[in-house]
Amino acid sequence: MSKNVLILAEHDDQSLKAASLSAFGLGYRISVECEGTFQILVLGNNVGDVASEASGLAPTLVADSPKLEQPIADVHAKVIAQVIEKNQFDTIIAASSTYSKDVLSRACGIVGGAMASDVIGCEVKDGDLILERPLYAGSVTAKCRLLSDPKFLTVRASAFEPAEGVEAGTSTVEVDEASLPDRVEYHGVETKASARPDLTEAKIVVSGGRAFKTTEDFEGHVGALADALEAAAGSSRALVDAGITPNELQVGQTGKVVAPELYIALGLSGAVQHLAGMKNSKVIVAINKDAEAPIFEVSDYGIVGDVYKLVPELLDKVKATQT
Amino acid sequence: MKILVPTKRVPDTDQKIKVSSDGTGVQTNTLPFIINPFDAIALEEALRIQEGASDEVEVITVGIGNDEYEKELRAGLAMGADRAIHVSTDELLDPWNVSKVLKVIVEKEAPDLVLMGKQAVDDDSNQAGQFLAAQLDWPQATFISKIELADSKANVERETDLGIEKLSLNLPAVITADLRLNEPRYASLPNIMKAKKKPIDSIPLTDLGIEIEPKIEIISVEAPSSIRSCKKVETVDELLTLLRDEAKVL
């Protein structure tokens, strides 16, 4: 059965997020294997640059309106639902993020579709999608099938390769502004501006756990090593709960899911909720003074020892080889 | 004002999760069940709103499940909910069908606010609240870490990938709780005793007049092994050498 695939793009008003390129990679593969079509949808206000970048990959629908400037769920979802119904898309894919979980789930609710979240595998079999997704914080993986159209997927970027796509054009989505609800006021987002790479996009992640007792200790060890390696910094839930690190750094079931080339876990015991967020990293290194810490079970390399002693030494030696 | 708090009964995920012998689910018969932790946070917040309000606030919990659900509904009543609704069924519903059931209950109870967990820790779908909001055509705020009600509005802070987002939304609304909204209380012994007398209104699912249409089928379940053989070394130099020469990641 041929499929009409729509990829919902996420962007920062200037360019597409890397995760959306992975979502596009899956959408492109599905449409090729099913001899279907694929298009990208870009929503926002003054998103010409993003639209032109997207049109380098696929025919791009652009919903550009001041009403779409802010990511308000009931507004964005309504426009997405209108686009799906008008164009008869049957497969809608976005990268897993707080935006897609908020907005795309609601769009699915409007059109009465079926949805799988956090998809980590997809196989096309007899025209149907066999999806893999984690359950129970990643303790088990389920193979599943969605039972009605349209089908909505949010996908973990680390699980799918981007695709080259094809040069195409853009077309404008007429946004019926009068039909959009006006029940939510947006008062901005407090971003903890960080010079470090984004956790979900970094090649190396350095993460800290309970061993670090203060924000200064965390920054002086985890943060400093991350900077030396041009890596992202992450943390366990325990540090976020203790107010030592901000929410955005949390890796795990309820935080971010990462799968970098190298994950360095410092003073981090490895609770199952944390492992759910990082165990698919290519190479995992652990330093922990407890030889029995579960983090060692999922690690490729480890040192049993005190992070307060070993991390400064590691930092010096990493810096020394760079000069 | 009325706050409806849907809860889900889930296996305690601090326990070891094992695949069932037929490979299509997990073994739940040996696991203790609890109120989904995110739903417990939502219930706690509803109770704090009730305790802080000058007007009367009624907190109602609703649960969908088999007869064993009474225990978790009583646990919610012991935390302080005024009454509970039990939609009884032996079927396990997916988030779409959960939202269809909740829609009927919302239309019947007409709450000002539906406050629920952002996701259930068994299937980790993170969908039911958004589906419900869409079907009711109510505004929504997901993943909230702070809420304040004033003048028929909810002022909330949301935990997003970019940072903390601030919204005000008109009530009625569907709001879903994230981890850091609060820490749920433990029920005191007197409240556990009191909860035994609080009403649980039991309604068979079949009396709601909705058709259950499964949206997702689980074909098989497996426990991926994440165990790796860890090469333990003594020194930072050895570690760096391995990362450079063997793993080739530095």
Side-chain angles (χ1 to χ4, degrees), chain A residues 101-102 106 112 117 133 136-137 141 143 145 183 185 187 190-191 247 279 281 297 300-302, chain B residues 122 124-125 127 130 137-138 140 142 162 164 166 168 180 215 217 219-220 222 228 231 233 246:
Chain A
K101 284 180 179 169
D102 189 40
R106 185 176 177 112
S117 312
R133 59 176 305 268
Y136 294 91
T141 304
K143 276 204 170 118
R145 189 173 13 227
R183 305 175 288 203
E185 267 174 69
H187 301 299
E190 266 173 45
T191 31
N247 296 339
K279 65 186 181 187
S281 305
E297 288 177 20
D300 302 285
Y301 303 101
Chain B
D122 50 1
D124 286 331
S125 285
Q127 297 165 359
Q130 294 89 313
D137 193 21
W138 285 9
Q140 76 186 41
T142 49
L162 298 173
I164 302 290
K166 293 182 180 177
S168 321
R180 277 169 281 276
K215 292 278 192 183
E217 177 200 357
I219 302 163
S220 63
E222 58 181 56
R228 304 183 187 193
K231 217 178 249 185
V233 296
E246 188 178 272

Side-chain angles (χ1 to χ4, degrees), chain A residues 10 17 71-74 78 96-99 101-118 130 132-149 181-192 198 204 229 237 240-241 247-248 250 253-256 261-262 264 272-273 275 278-285 287 291-292 296-304 310-311 313-314 317-318 321, chain B residues 10-19 25-26 28 31 38 41 94-96 99 118-143 145 153 155-172 174 178-180 183 213-240 242-244 246-250:
Chain A
E10 233 179 295
K17 295 217 168 154
I72 293 173
D74 58 353
K78 185 148 191 181
S96 283
S97 67
T98 51
Y99 171 76
K101 284 180 179 169
D102 189 40
V103 167
L104 201 61
S105 306
R106 185 176 177 112
C108 177
I110 294 173
V111 301
M115 186 166 197
S117 312
D118 291 319
I130 308 297
E132 275 181 59
R133 59 176 305 268
L135 307 178
Y136 294 91
S139 299
V140 298
T141 304
K143 276 204 170 118
C144 55
R145 189 173 13 227
L146 294 172
L147 302 176
S148 72
D149 280 340
D182 185 16
R183 305 175 288 203
V184 179
E185 267 174 69
Y186 181 85
H187 301 299
V189 58
E190 266 173 45
T191 31
K192 303 260 181 349
D198 190 74
I204 303 178
L229 293 168
R237 177 178 155 187
V240 178
D241 285 350
N247 296 339
E248 300 92 86
Q250 187 181 325
Q253 183 190 19
T254 64
K256 292 186 177 160
E261 301 276 301
L262 173 62
I264 304 177
V272 62
Q273 287 82 359
L275 301 184
M278 47 64 75
K279 65 186 181 187
N280 293 323
S281 305
K282 198 169 146 231
V283 173
I284 300 174
V285 172
I287 301 181
E292 304 300 317
F296 287 118
E297 288 177 20
V298 303
S299 296
D300 302 285
Y301 303 101
I303 305 182
V304 178
L310 292 168
V311 175
E313 188 189 341
L314 188 56
K317 288 187 168 151
V318 165
T321 58
Chain B
V10 297
D12 185 345
T13 44
D14 284 342
Q15 309 289 321
K16 178 99 184 129
I17 302 294
K18 287 195 190 123
V19 176
V26 303
T28 53
L31 297 174
F38 290 105
I41 291 170
D94 58 34
W96 174 255
S99 72
K118 71 164 182 178
Q119 74 191 65
V121 298
D122 50 1
D123 65 13
D124 286 331
S125 285
N126 199 322
Q127 297 165 359
Q130 294 89 313
F131 287 170
L132 177 63
Q135 290 186 77
L136 292 166
D137 193 21
W138 285 9
Q140 76 186 41
T142 49
F143 328 138
S145 55
K153 276 183 191 291
N155 302 312
V156 303
E157 294 187 4
R158 301 182 57 226
E159 288 191 16
T160 75
D161 292 340
L162 298 173
I164 302 290
E165 180 187 284
K166 293 182 180 177
L167 299 178
S168 321
L169 51 161
N170 295 351
L171 298 179
V174 176
D178 213 321
L179 199 60
R180 277 169 281 276
E183 268 198 51
E213 23 168 11
K215 292 278 192 183
I216 186 161
E217 177 200 357
I218 293 189
I219 302 163
S220 63
V221 168
E222 58 181 56
S225 174
S226 47
I227 306 289
R228 304 183 187 193
S229 67
C230 184
K231 217 178 249 185
K232 281 189 184 149
V233 296
E234 300 287 326
T235 67
V236 164
D237 289 320
E238 285 172 85
L239 178 66
L240 284 171
L242 285 168
L243 291 180
R244 274 192 201 108
E246 188 178 272
K248 300 191 194 314
V249 285
L250 281 186

Side-chain angles (χ1 to χ4, degrees), chain B:
Chain B
M1 133 159 234
K2 213 186 239 191
I3 305 176
L4 188 75
V5 183
T7 63
K8 186 175 185 183
R9 180 177 185 265
V10 297
D12 185 345
T13 44
D14 284 342
Q15 309 289 321
K16 178 99 184 129
I17 302 294
K18 287 195 190 123
V19 176
S20 63
S21 53
D22 66 356
T24 62
V26 303
Q27 278 179 22
T28 53
N29 54 345
T30 53
L31 297 174
F33 276 78
I34 54 170
I35 296 176
N36 172 41
F38 290 105
D39 297 336
I41 291 170
L43 177 55
E44 172 66 35
E45 198 63 24
L47 297 170
R48 290 185 190 187
I49 291 169
Q50 183 184 52
E51 288 156 2
S54 47
D55 303 337
E56 196 179 320
V57 175
E58 187 184 24
V59 176
I60 309 154
T61 71
V62 50
I64 308 164
N66 63 18
D67 292 342
E68 290 174 47
Y69 206 142
E70 188 184 332
K71 190 175 136 269
E72 285 72 37
L73 287 171
R74 292 272 172 224
L77 294 171
M79 276 176 72
D82 298 300
R83 61 187 169 93
I85 299 167
H86 178 204
V87 177
S88 65
T89 175
D90 288 333
E91 271 185 85
L92 291 172
L93 303 186
D94 58 34
W96 174 255
N97 290 293
V98 165
S99 72
K100 280 179 78 170
V101 169
L102 293 177
K103 180 170 181 267
V104 176
I105 303 296
V106 166
E107 283 165 351
K108 194 164 155 239
E109 293 287 342
D112 302 280
L113 174 62
V114 176
L115 196 51
M116 59 200 280
K118 71 164 182 178
Q119 74 191 65
V121 298
D122 50 1
D123 65 13
D124 286 331
S125 285
N126 199 322
Q127 297 165 359
Q130 294 89 313
F131 287 170
L132 177 63
Q135 290 186 77
L136 292 166
D137 193 21
W138 285 9
Q140 76 186 41
T142 49
F143 328 138
I144 66 141
S145 55
K146 196 174 173 190
I147 179 169
E148 222 176 58
L149 300 182
D151 308 326
S152 302
K153 276 183 191 291
N155 302 312
V156 303
E157 294 187 4
R158 301 182 57 226
E159 288 191 16
T160 75
D161 292 340
L162 298 173
I164 302 290
E165 180 187 284
K166 293 182 180 177
L167 299 178
S168 321
L169 51 161
N170 295 351
L171 298 179
V174 176
I175 292 182
T176 74
D178 213 321
L179 199 60
R180 277 169 281 276
L181 181 59
N182 61 49
E183 268 198 51
R185 68 193 67 187
Y186 289 100
S188 66
L189 191 59
N191 285 343
I192 292 170
M193 301 311 288
K194 247 193 266 174
K196 291 187 176 166
K197 295 197 190 91
K198 286 184 181 174
I200 297 181
D201 182 11
S202 191
I203 313 168
L205 175 67
T206 46
D207 284 5
L208 292 183
I210 51 169
E211 197 186 327
I212 297 303
E213 23 168 11
K215 292 278 192 183
I216 186 161
E217 177 200 357
I218 293 189
I219 302 163
S220 63
V221 168
E222 58 181 56
S225 174
S226 47
I227 306 289
R228 304 183 187 193
S229 67
C230 184
K231 217 178 249 185
K232 281 189 184 149
V233 296
E234 300 287 326
T235 67
V236 164
D237 289 320
E238 285 172 85
L239 178 66
L240 284 171
T241 306
L242 285 168
L243 291 180
R244 274 192 201 108
D245 301 341
E246 188 178 272
K248 300 191 194 314
V249 285
L250 281 186

Side-chain angles (χ1 to χ4, degrees), chain A residues 202-283:
Chain A
K203 288 207 159 54
I204 303 178
V205 173
V206 183
S207 230
R210 218 183 279 270
F212 299 99
K213 302 295 178 207
T214 65
T215 303
E216 292 68 39
D217 282 358
F218 178 86
E219 274 303 316
H221 293 80
V222 180
L225 185 60
D227 290 340
L229 293 168
E230 291 173 22
S235 100
S236 70
R237 177 178 155 187
L239 292 195
V240 178
D241 285 350
I244 293 169
T245 52
N247 296 339
E248 300 92 86
L249 295 201
Q250 187 181 325
V251 172
Q253 183 190 19
T254 64
K256 292 186 177 160
V257 176
V258 302
E261 301 276 301
L262 173 62
Y263 190 90
I264 304 177
L266 303 172
L268 197 156
S269 65
V272 62
Q273 287 82 359
H274 186 80
L275 301 184
M278 47 64 75
K279 65 186 181 187
N280 293 323
S281 305
K282 198 169 146 231
V283 173

